[in-house]
Amino acid sequence: MRSVIVDCAIYRDGARTEGPADFSDALDEARASGDAFLWIGLHEPTEKEFELVTSEFGLHPLAVEDALCAHQRPKLEVYDDSLFLVLKPVRYDDRAGTVTAGELMVFVGDSFVVTVRHGEANPLGSVRDRLEKMPEVLQHGPTAVMYAVSDAVVDHYLDVADDLHGDLEELETEVFAPNAGGGQNTAGRIYAFKREVMEFRRSAGPLEEPMERLTGAGVPFVHEGSRPFFRDVSDHLTRVNEHVEGLDRLLSDILSAHLAQMGVRQNDDMRKISAWAAMAAVPTMIAGIYGMNFTHMPELKQPWGYPAVVALMGGVIALLYRYFKRRGWL
């Protein structure tokens, strides 16, 4: 069990205190004092490893199942003995251009907070360090931990959204460059970028409803004075979702513009091919007429026949070239 416990500590009056090594005894101590709570962090526990936590903290079996499966949408569930919040922190790899989403579950109940993390995206280490330097915030109990974790996840959303926007501007500049070449590679990059934005959207979008609920009254295990703080998180999340929607619309517009450019380039190529084919058809037609080998063809017996036919071919080709040039086909 110790292999999955990242950290376990009792917080009393906003300060970290040493407690029993066994978290069951630590929970009893926190509840007995009345002004303390236990915060235990777990990383990808198995069902067997999580059984003791479930029994000691009285977690609802449905919430436990969600915490172990780790394929949940962001949501807030209220149970008799605890509050269950699912968050999806994201990590953006700028070199690979990929958005990776993890999962973070927060159980809040009577004098305890249990956080369960899945994936590589991990804001919890910095959150715990920051909170331990802010005893005035930790004094609000488990709600302070849930707020700080939510705030860290949403603030990182803003950073990821800015990184995505910067890469999108580079892609936009490349697509609309005067000498930009068309091809499947550009369209494939746009589609891949759109897929990453969609992954980000699946993480940030559904979280808006839980944050709205936390800003209102009537949610158990939530400190009454925390509503303005959750409202601030909700405002930041709204900015993120608006930013992501803007990215998605811009990508759709860029893709449409790229496909339109491809169509224009293909039309230009077809016009050029048609113009050269028309100019090549004239000498072919004249040569075909005089290659029929009829006996009675007056021009064949004239000394000026050959130069006249060549001059006719050259003249017609020159007129066609001038005409196509004026029309912009060449």
Side-chain angles (χ1 to χ4, degrees):
M1 184 63 193
R2 291 184 178 274
S3 62
V4 300
I5 297 178
V6 179
D7 201 350
C8 179
I10 296 177
Y11 295 88
R12 182 178 290 108
D13 293 329
R16 179 170 180 148
T17 61
E18 295 298 329
D22 184 81
F23 68 83
S24 300
D25 297 334
L27 178 61
D28 293 337
E29 180 178 323
R31 285 175 172 170
S33 64
D35 60 348
F37 69 93
L38 174 68
W39 181 3
I40 178 173
L42 307 175
H43 179 233
E44 297 183 354
T46 64
E47 183 176 358
K48 185 176 181 180
E49 291 169 335
F50 206 55
E51 284 180 356
L52 183 58
V53 177
T54 303
S55 60
E56 291 295 332
F57 290 88
L59 305 180
H60 196 279
L62 292 177
V64 171
E65 181 182 355
D66 291 342
L68 293 175
C69 291
H71 292 291
Q72 308 298 318
R73 297 174 72 252
K75 63 180 180 178
L76 177 67
E77 298 287 351
V78 179
Y79 299 102
D80 293 336
D81 299 325
S82 62
L83 193 67
F84 179 58
L85 177 65
V86 179
L87 303 164
K88 292 183 75 69
V90 298
R91 184 169 60 92
Y92 181 57
D93 187 346
D94 188 46
R95 293 184 177 180
T98 57
V99 174
T100 305
E103 290 201 22
L104 181 58
M105 289 77 170
V106 183
F107 294 89
V108 175
D110 180 19
S111 301
F112 73 84
V113 178
V114 177
T115 54
V116 182
R117 178 172 63 88
H118 294 268
E120 297 300 324
N122 178 25
L124 292 179
S126 59
V127 169
R128 190 184 286 263
D129 293 339
R130 187 169 68 250
L131 278 177
E132 290 179 354
K133 298 176 183 178
M134 303 169 63
E136 69 280 0
V137 177
L138 273 175
Q139 286 178 352
H140 292 87
T143 305
V145 177
M146 185 167 61
Y147 155 71
V149 171
S150 303
D151 186 57
V153 170
V154 173
D155 284 348
H156 191 61
Y157 283 169
L158 290 170
D159 296 335
V160 172
D162 290 338
D163 292 339
L164 287 172
H165 188 78
D167 288 351
L168 177 60
E169 287 181 345
E170 294 180 2
L171 181 61
E172 187 178 17
T173 301
E174 179 182 335
V175 170
F176 292 105
N179 58 347
Q184 291 183 345
N185 185 37
T186 302
R189 288 181 58 196
I190 297 174
Y191 273 117
F193 201 100
K194 193 174 181 67
R195 187 167 54 249
E196 301 307 322
V197 171
M198 185 62 65
E199 179 68 22
F200 186 22
R201 195 172 189 174
R202 283 197 294 264
S203 300
L207 185 59
E208 195 162 354
E209 189 269 339
M211 289 298 106
E212 285 290 334
R213 290 179 60 188
L214 289 171
T215 60
V219 181
F221 307 107
V222 176
H223 194 277
E224 293 182 0
S226 65
R227 279 183 285 177
F229 297 95
F230 282 111
R231 190 176 300 117
D232 181 68
V233 176
S234 180
D235 291 340
H236 290 176
L237 184 60
T238 300
R239 286 174 50 197
V240 170
N241 288 328
E242 290 175 352
H243 202 160
V244 173
E245 289 179 4
L247 291 175
D248 190 56
R249 287 195 299 269
L250 280 174
L251 278 170
S252 298
D253 293 340
I254 291 174
L255 180 59
S256 299
H258 172 68
L259 295 178
Q261 286 180 336
M262 292 286 291
V264 170
R265 292 191 188 100
Q266 289 176 353
N267 289 336
D268 289 340
D269 293 340
M270 289 302 299
R271 284 199 300 264
K272 291 178 182 179
I273 293 173
S274 300
W276 287 111
M279 287 188 292
V282 172
T284 301
M285 180 187 67
I286 296 175
I289 293 174
Y290 283 95
M292 290 186 292
N293 295 323
F294 287 110
T295 303
H296 302 288
M297 294 185 72
E299 295 85 356
L300 296 178
K301 303 297 183 180
Q302 302 296 330
W304 49 263
Y306 174 74
V309 170
V310 173
L312 176 63
M313 292 180 182
V316 174
I317 291 174
L319 290 174
L320 288 175
Y321 180 83
R322 185 177 180 183
Y323 173 77
F324 290 136
K325 194 72 173 177
R326 284 185 176 181
R327 296 294 299 271
W329 287 32
L330 292 173

